[in-house]
Amino acid sequence: MCGIIGIASNKPVSINIINSLKKLEYRGYDSAGIATLKDNSIDEKKCSGRVDELEKLLLKSPSNGNIGIGHVRWATHGIPNTVNAHPHSTENVSVVHNGIIENSDDLKKELETKGYIFKSQTDTEVITMLLTESLKNTDPLDSVFKTLSKLKGSFALGIIFKNFSDIIIGARRGSPLAVGYSNEENYLGSDSYALKSMTNKISYLDDGELCVLTKNNVSFYNVKKNKINKKIHTVSDDENVSDKGDYKNFMSKEIFEQPTTAKKCVSEYIDSLKKDINIYNFPIDPKKINKIILIGCGTAYHSCLVAKYWFEELTQIDIEIDIASEFRYRNVKFDNNNLYIFVSQSGETADTAAALEICKKNRVKTCSVVNVVESTIARNSDWVLPIHAGPEIGVASTKAFLGQLIVLYISCLKLSSARNEIDKKTYHQSIENLKKLPEAIKKTLNLETNIQLMAKEFLEARGSMFLGRGSSFPIALEGALKLKELSYLHAEGYPAGEMKHGPLALIEEGLPVIVIAPKDKYYEKTLSNMQEVISRGGKIFLITNNKKVSISENIRFGLRVPYIDDTLTPILLAVPLQLLAYHVALLKNCDIDKPRNLAKSVTVE
Ligand code: AGP
């Protein structure tokens, strides 16, 4: 997704803007640009493609301004090219924008009647023109307020002004924006991660707020134009964040970090002395919870789906799962005795943040399961359960999925115990079993060599299917999502029992079908569904934990994951599917960390 950087300093800023834009590359983008103020004029440079290209432009023709804004763009309005790249500038003002201006067409028509000529196809350029128009009669701050009052939609903005060469104005509605502080230098960033190499002192703008940065000072204003104070947070220093080490890419690093992720996450939540889970202060008395609604997008939604099976197995609480982009527009009936749990790695996903906002407006209790604890979703929810996975850079979520599953499972156990719905022995045994998870994940990762061989079988395929029953069904969905987003091969995740109601028609000679069949109560049923696929020519890849299953000639490949207990099985089953998607994508020479068309942090709806 788009990313913003702004720096006000006492020295040239372009190198630091480029370095910070490189930090934002993980979000996924298709063009980049920078504008600095140099000799009392706006010096704008932009290009399609990578930040490296922009850096080359700057080497040929340096930008020496002490104040500037930079942007990486993920196209929404208009194709990814140089003209549509941000910043969008006139002689007097230059703008970078994340988000979508929903009434841009109407505003454009209005501005065209006043003689403004638009160069790009973007929605952003209307902001530049509105500012240019209002700057004729007023100062920058007032012109920004006037412009914002005309905009519908979501935005985070960074703006510089030709005639006010010491200020950057930032504004937020819907899309996140942070401010960083340093000595004789202040910063604007679409997330704190991009600012981390320059400062760990950060403030976060809330919706409707605006900031004015100079090199020595930052002022904040609320929507009523009153000056306000903002809290300054010290963000944690995560080591090795941008270091791939010996790994080819961040995704493989993150897959192989999972034993450590599991260890960290489990140790954060398990009190080994008391043999208990140290989650306290539920926002609703556990015994009074009527229903839990779990909400997320993409992989986070899949972790909610897995959790549904756990909650139904271990508690008497009614569970509903929702996709955030659907939830936010439905006519949901809210209830004070329900707990609304939002799952998000980034904590910035626009749909999930909006769904949370709706819950807040309806005054119901909210909880978030997030990786980024400084994120909008974490800050806006009543209660936060961090997953402690450390920064996840690869666009395809792997270790964060693992962390989400662990935290959801641990919360489910704790709730079940607090409601006296699990017997003490099972509760303590489940806690002990959680401690075995890191080692079992390590063993699962040892399957990599077999998975590499398996991946070759997907190269000529026209599509693939992932089948499972019970909690293996959401794991099948996740396996299919990983394969399609990384390798661009069509993959469909399906409940194995539903095949005969339609998708069986897709099975043809040699179609790869991944059957996820752990030895649980669905095992025999899943194997019968697998036979139906075999009879129709499907090429089977069986993933199980059953020691007794023999890999017959009808099964092209079999993988056996370790077993701890039935509830932890979906966590272990997810790992080989991550490796499979990774190796297929590697063989196909795909851009593993930045798959086409995708973004790490989806800050538009
Ligand atoms: C997963 O591999 C994705 N790229 C994507 O589905 C992601 O999980 C989704 O966009 C939600 O992101 P979040 O967890 O940051 O909210």
Side-chain angles (χ1 to χ4, degrees), residues 520-557:
D520 57 15
K521 66 178 176 189
Y522 305 94
Y523 182 67
E524 276 77 23
K525 307 251 172 253
T526 312
L527 287 202
S528 304
N529 299 139
M530 180 177 86
Q531 290 306 330
E532 291 157 10
V533 173
I534 291 172
S535 323
R536 285 150 184 94
K539 198 199 274 182
I540 301 291
F541 298 83
L542 176 66
I543 305 186
T544 183
N545 53 16
N546 185 5
K547 287 198 178 122
K548 289 192 190 131
V549 69
S550 59
I551 308 300
S552 70
E553 61 197 42
N554 285 331
I555 299 171
R556 182 81 179 141
F557 260 97

Side-chain angles (χ1 to χ4, degrees), residues 296-301 343-349 352 377 395-398 404 478 481-482 485 598-602:
C297 301
T299 289
Y301 168 69
V343 182
S344 172
Q345 185 286 127
S346 61
E348 300 295 354
T349 301
T352 314
I377 290 174
V395 164
S397 189
T398 51
Q404 288 160 0
E478 175 60 10
L481 176 64
K482 286 285 95 92
E485 75 177 321
L598 297 181
K600 183 67 186 160
S601 191
V602 185

